[in-house]
Amino acid sequence: MSWFESFILGLVQGLTEFLPISSSAHLRLTAAFAGWHDPGAAFTAITQIGTETAVLIYFRKDIARIVSAWFRSLTDKSMRADHDAQMGWLVIIGSIPIGVLGVTLKDQIEGPFRDLRLIATTLIVMGVVLGVADRLAARDEIGGRHRAIRERKTLKDLGVRDGLIYGVCQAMALIPGVSRSGATISGGLLMGYTREAAARYSFLLAIPAVLASGAYELKDAGEGHVSWGPTIFATVVAFVVGYAVIAWFMKFITTKSFMPFVIYRILLGILLFVLVGAGVLSPHAGESGG
């Protein structure tokens, strides 16, 4: 991998990680369209450490408060009813599904799941799911002629059941094209949470999963055509760009609909099917050659 490739892929990772459009799919597609080697699951997981570092910094006050309360709750029973301490446990509980499935499906994640036809399918299907979830949220927020405005849930309403459902949604993002934020935010909206609450928990929930996945894949970094230097460079680029994107996205969702992302996902999925069907792209483009 050249330094130019690593810069572009780091840029793509930073731009797409927090948007509900799937960063892993866009890394895969960028390589396929450019005629580069598929950067692979290990490269993707490691560069996500960069964007997750942006989350740690952006939500540093929330994270510090949650971690502090959680540790105190281990010895102080009175702290166990504290919302921040409970959030610590809920992040742990919500991380279980992706941890189990990530190890179980490792071979599929690095192989069959990277087929462009599957990516096209997940882009479209999850785009429709996000669109439905967004419409339901909008209906509750603005009401209508025959409907009253309905108050949606916040993170104070989050319990073990919803935490596990969030976790299962996050685990779906092991398939490129699903999108970690897209799946968890859709799940949150369908469960009745506000856009801001769904996005905030989505980002907090991703921290242990992404950091653990990146650390696990470190042993495979530097193998094949991807060396350590470009991987680290891409990770730094992803961090810088990712921080700017997360700040913009948290402001965007407070007043805007997810429909632009829905339309983009569906159109991109259709385009992929057309290109693969016409023979312009191989379903396995980039896997065995540049």
Side-chain angles (χ1 to χ4, degrees), residues 16-26 48 119 122-123 126-127 130 169-186 202-203 249 261 265:
T16 59
E17 172 67 18
F18 303 116
L19 305 182
I21 56 177
S22 179
S23 62
S24 57
H26 279 75
Q48 284 176 339
I119 291 175
T122 53
L123 281 170
M126 288 306 300
L130 178 62
C169 292
Q170 177 179 238
M172 293 170 59
L174 291 169
I175 305 173
V178 170
S179 170
R180 186 191 311 275
S181 63
T184 49
I185 289 173
S186 294
S202 169
F203 294 151
F249 186 64
F261 303 113
R265 289 181 64 106

Side-chain angles (χ1 to χ4, degrees), residues 211-267:
L211 295 181
S213 175
Y216 179 78
E217 295 289 358
L218 283 174
K219 64 180 181 5
D220 295 327
E223 295 182 358
H225 72 287
V226 183
S227 58
W228 266 108
T231 300
I232 294 173
F233 180 53
T235 302
V236 173
V237 172
F239 160 71
V240 175
V241 177
Y243 187 86
V245 171
I246 193 173
W248 171 82
F249 186 64
M250 291 304 294
K251 293 178 181 178
F252 175 88
I253 61 173
T254 59
T255 58
K256 305 294 183 181
S257 164
F258 286 114
M259 289 311 294
F261 303 113
V262 172
I263 295 170
Y264 173 78
R265 289 181 64 106
I266 293 174
L267 291 178

Side-chain angles (χ1 to χ4, degrees), residues 43-205:
F43 176 88
T44 301
I46 294 170
T47 54
Q48 284 176 339
I49 293 177
T51 44
E52 216 52 42
T53 302
V55 173
L56 291 173
I57 294 175
Y58 187 85
F59 290 110
R60 60 190 180 279
K61 293 181 180 178
D62 290 359
I63 294 169
R65 195 176 63 246
I66 290 169
V67 170
S68 174
W70 181 80
F71 271 112
R72 282 184 287 155
S73 73
L74 296 178
T75 55
D76 184 352
K77 291 184 178 180
S78 65
M79 285 294 299
R80 293 174 188 174
D82 182 84
H83 172 68
D84 289 325
Q86 292 176 347
M87 276 296 295
W89 284 112
L90 289 170
V91 168
I92 293 172
I93 291 170
S95 300
I96 293 173
I98 197 169
V100 173
L101 292 175
V103 174
T104 305
L105 301 175
K106 185 176 186 301
D107 291 340
Q108 285 74 25
I109 294 168
E110 295 177 349
F113 285 0
R114 302 184 73 79
D115 188 304
L116 294 183
R117 292 166 297 190
L118 177 59
I119 291 175
T121 301
T122 53
L123 281 170
I124 294 171
V125 171
M126 288 306 300
V128 172
V129 172
L130 178 62
V132 171
D134 185 66
R135 291 297 299 167
L136 291 175
R139 186 179 64 181
D140 288 347
E141 291 166 357
I142 64 176
R145 186 174 181 180
H146 302 293
R147 295 190 305 273
I149 294 175
R150 180 182 175 185
E151 185 175 352
R152 295 181 72 82
K153 295 187 285 187
T154 68
L155 290 184
K156 291 186 181 297
D157 301 305
L158 186 65
V160 173
R161 183 188 72 91
D162 287 358
L164 279 173
I165 293 175
Y166 265 112
V168 171
C169 292
Q170 177 179 238
M172 293 170 59
L174 291 169
I175 305 173
V178 170
S179 170
R180 186 191 311 275
S181 63
T184 49
I185 289 173
S186 294
L189 294 179
L190 290 172
M191 287 189 287
Y193 287 87
T194 65
R195 288 186 175 88
E196 194 273 341
R200 185 171 291 265
Y201 184 62
S202 169
F203 294 151
L204 293 175
L205 184 61

